[in-house]
Amino acid sequence: MSRRIGFFILAFGLVIGLFEGCSTLPSLENRSVSTALVDTDTTRLGRAISSAVAAHPGQSGLYPLPDSRDAFAARMLLARAAERSLDVQYYIWRKDRSGTLLFEALHAAAERGVRVRLLLDDNNTAGLDPTLAALDAHPNIEVRLFNPFVIRKPRLIGYLTDFSRLNRRMHNKSFTADNQATIIGGRNVGDEYFDAAEGTVFVDLDVMAVGPIVEDVSNDFDRYWASGSSYPVGLLLPPADPARLEQLASQASLVERDPAAAAYMAAIRQLPFVRELTEGRLALEWAPARMVSDDPAKALGRAESDELLPHQMNEIIGEPARDVELVSAYFVPTAAGVESFAGMAERGVNVTILTNSLEATDVAAVHAGYAKRRKPLLQAGITLYELRRLSPRTNRRAGLPGSSGSSASSLHAKTFSVDGSRVFIGSFNFDPRSAKLNTEMGFVIDSPALARNISTAFDSRIPANSYQVRLSNNGQLYWTEHRSGEWVRHDAEPGTSFWLRAGIRLLSALPIEWLL
């Protein structure tokens, strides 16, 4: 028996060694060089915003996109309006209705002569290789993969042979047209992010921006595009099938003719947001805004601490004086974070936090990292809300966090306000993964108006759609919710089974917090 075990160990070692020999990344020596196009003032987008930008020197025009369908429509409209360039960067891009339609929107733009640069993190591109290779084969489209898997199938082999690199991902999201307008925030590309799916729909937040902040996003895109982790797909994928682009157009046409998708697109066309944007009547919030972003070298473990997003945010925001209102889909504060929030509370700062409940989260392991910190946070005077999975219908345009009316809502937004005057919107979760492993980006905006939107949500919509976590007199957690005009108390995590809760307790005891 021991001889047989030794044989299997030897064989496994040989297989892993073979894969390691086949998993060397290609050289980037002859990679093409390109940068954001700057001479775009005379494009349709440039002409449309020039007078408003000139009237607000030093400020950017901002429009929050809490509504999922507005967020999809905004991307489609920017893709269709672009005349010179589209620079697009995402962590996830699904091969579903919305993903197919947006791929075809990029293809259609390229057919008009628009230069398209598409940068995708490679962690979630399984099944997309033929489409990405076909897009890249177009003379006006270049596709790059960030931190790629050399062995395309099975990707598990990559994690076994190169875990320290592949565990670091590009979580940034941006969609920039003609270096004139951009969208950044929490949403990836997929039906669940745009309220186009049955089942779970993510409550999320993006912001569309024009003005000087757009150049900052374009420069940051260039940084990632030219980084040592950004690989042209031609170095990784087999040559494209020439018919694949025609198939993509056909797939998009079939998607649009599908009754469910047709109804969705018809609803998109009727959105007030679409009319206001296309007619130049969209009311923007003009405010000073700064972009914060990790150095892409973070993906290789080579970035200095002062080049990371948390350090940049601390420098811009400083010490809160009155209140912090934080929304984070994945909230793992760690012992250091608890100490920081407790210190704020001791100074008289009111700290209120919204994250997912166990029944609503899509990553149970992350909830385990948060769950063990609830008691010390509550003992420090922090107010905790957890979004319910079953949320009542709320006003679509009321702002974050609202529900789309889906029976399975899960929080995916990442935003916070400080002292009723400054707001962060971006991709950064308050967890060790965002802080130390993944690259992230976002805007810090000096806007009392946007800060009031978050405060209003915490005053009304969040309590109506969430559980509040509390501590009993004997130090036990319980949850309250307002339902049918009455307050209901739960002494165990609502909507969960004994076995799920037991699993979370087990995960909480494991030394995995640094991975979450």
Side-chain angles (χ1 to χ4, degrees):
M1 179 65 72
S2 61
R3 186 177 298 176
R4 184 177 299 176
I5 292 173
F7 171 77
F8 280 119
I9 292 174
L10 176 61
F12 181 76
L14 289 173
V15 169
I16 293 298
L18 177 63
F19 277 117
E20 284 180 333
C22 298
S23 63
T24 303
L25 285 165
S27 170
L28 294 176
E29 184 177 357
N30 297 315
R31 181 179 59 176
S32 65
V33 176
S34 62
T35 57
L37 302 182
V38 295
D39 54 339
T40 58
D41 292 343
T42 59
T43 61
R44 180 168 48 168
L45 284 171
R47 294 193 306 271
I49 68 172
S50 59
S51 59
V53 172
H56 298 87
Q59 297 183 324
S60 295
L62 304 147
Y63 190 87
L65 294 165
D67 182 87
S68 302
R69 296 187 175 186
D70 282 354
F72 178 77
R75 288 163 171 82
M76 289 294 290
L77 289 170
L78 288 187
R80 290 169 178 171
E83 295 179 346
R84 296 289 311 283
S85 65
L86 284 167
D87 289 337
V88 181
Q89 177 181 18
Y90 279 97
Y91 173 59
I92 294 173
W93 194 300
R94 302 285 189 214
K95 190 181 180 182
D96 53 16
R97 292 173 187 166
S98 56
T100 298
L101 291 171
L102 280 167
F103 270 142
E104 176 53 24
L106 300 185
H107 173 220
E111 289 285 276
R112 299 193 308 269
V114 176
R115 187 194 72 178
V116 178
R117 296 189 295 174
L118 176 62
L119 177 59
L120 297 181
D121 183 86
D122 198 32
N123 195 48
N124 295 282
T125 59
L128 287 179
D129 284 3
T131 299
L132 297 179
L135 287 169
D136 187 68
H138 193 286
N140 290 328
I141 302 176
E142 186 175 358
V143 182
R144 293 185 180 179
L145 296 177
F146 193 91
N147 226 359
F149 291 77
V150 179
I151 300 170
R152 308 307 291 170
K153 291 181 182 180
R155 296 195 177 196
L156 176 62
I157 297 297
Y159 277 116
L160 290 174
T161 59
D162 199 5
F163 179 79
S164 61
R165 177 179 69 87
L166 293 174
N167 188 43
R168 295 175 176 270
R169 307 310 320 174
M170 182 191 74
H171 198 233
N172 311 39
K173 295 108 174 167
S174 67
F175 195 110
T176 306
D178 286 342
N179 201 9
Q180 295 291 330
T182 192
I183 300 167
I184 67 100
R187 287 185 181 90
N188 296 294
V189 173
D191 287 353
E192 64 268 41
Y193 300 98
F194 298 127
D195 198 5
E198 297 296 329
T200 298
V201 173
F202 286 121
V203 178
D204 218 326
L205 179 64
D206 298 323
V207 61
M208 186 172 65
V210 300
I213 195 73
V214 179
E215 184 176 353
D216 295 336
V217 175
S218 292
N219 291 339
D220 195 61
F221 182 94
D222 284 347
R223 242 190 353 159
Y224 277 79
W225 187 253
S227 75
S229 297
S230 181
Y231 284 77
V233 296
L235 299 178
L236 301 161
L237 307 183
D241 178 352
R244 189 71 187 187
L245 277 181
E246 293 181 10
Q247 293 172 9
L248 176 62
S250 298
Q251 288 171 354
S253 179
L254 288 173
V255 165
E256 290 197 43
R257 290 200 299 271
D258 175 82
Y264 177 81
M265 294 302 293
I268 292 291
R269 287 190 288 271
Q270 297 303 314
L271 289 172
F273 167 81
V274 173
R275 293 195 301 274
E276 293 165 4
L277 180 61
T278 55
E279 295 171 6
R281 298 186 292 108
L282 194 65
L284 301 176
E285 170 70 12
W286 291 91
R290 290 179 61 179
M291 194 197 74
V292 289
S293 173
D294 282 315
D295 185 330
K298 181 181 181 182
L300 299 173
R302 299 173 185 167
E304 299 295 330
S305 60
D306 61 355
E307 297 171 323
L308 300 183
L309 185 145
H311 177 83
Q312 297 168 39
M313 282 200 296
N314 288 339
E315 282 200 330
I316 295 171
I317 292 170
E319 289 285 345
R322 298 189 308 276
D323 56 69
V324 172
E325 294 169 315
L326 185 150
V327 177
S328 185
Y330 310 121
F331 180 63
V332 184
T334 72
V338 171
E339 183 178 352
S340 177
F341 284 120
M344 294 180 196
E346 287 178 6
R347 299 196 310 271
V349 177
N350 294 315
V351 181
T352 308
I353 296 167
L354 170 69
T355 191
N356 275 308
S357 64
L358 178 53
E359 69 172 359
T361 187
D362 64 322
V363 186
V366 171
H367 189 85
Y370 152 70
K372 66 182 179 181
R373 305 297 179 186
R374 282 184 295 210
K375 281 189 180 181
L377 286 168
L378 293 169
Q379 289 165 347
I382 312 302
T383 302
L384 289 180
Y385 289 101
E386 296 177 359
L387 186 74
R388 296 198 310 249
R389 183 171 176 80
L390 300 176
S391 298
R393 181 175 296 277
T394 57
N395 187 338
R396 279 188 178 278
R397 297 179 63 80
L400 180 84
S403 166
S404 68
S406 166
S407 62
S409 296
S410 182
L411 183 68
H412 196 257
K414 313 99 170 53
T415 184
F416 65 86
S417 69
V418 174
D419 293 340
S421 61
R422 293 182 299 283
V423 173
F424 170 82
I425 299 174
S427 66
F428 182 85
N429 287 295
F430 276 74
D431 59 21
R433 175 160 290 279
S434 282
K436 298 179 180 179
L437 295 174
N438 291 349
T439 67
E440 309 284 354
M441 70 180 298
F443 291 167
V444 177
I445 307 164
D446 292 330
S447 172
L450 294 183
R452 278 196 301 272
N453 287 348
I454 296 176
S455 293
T456 300
F458 272 105
D459 290 340
S460 57
R461 291 184 297 280
I462 286 174
N465 289 274
S466 306
Y467 306 109
Q468 183 171 357
V469 191
R470 301 176 184 269
L471 271 181
S472 66
N473 291 334
N474 62 357
Q476 297 303 306
L477 294 174
Y478 68 97
W479 291 255
T480 61
E481 64 169 315
H482 197 249
R483 188 170 62 193
S484 302
E486 297 181 348
W487 286 103
V488 179
R489 171 171 170 157
H490 305 271
D491 290 314
E493 298 207 50
T496 65
S497 67
F498 167 81
W499 294 110
L500 178 58
R501 296 192 297 273
I504 292 299
R505 285 194 293 272
L506 174 62
L507 287 173
S508 295
L510 298 177
I512 60 173
E513 196 172 55
W514 66 278
L515 283 169
L516 303 179

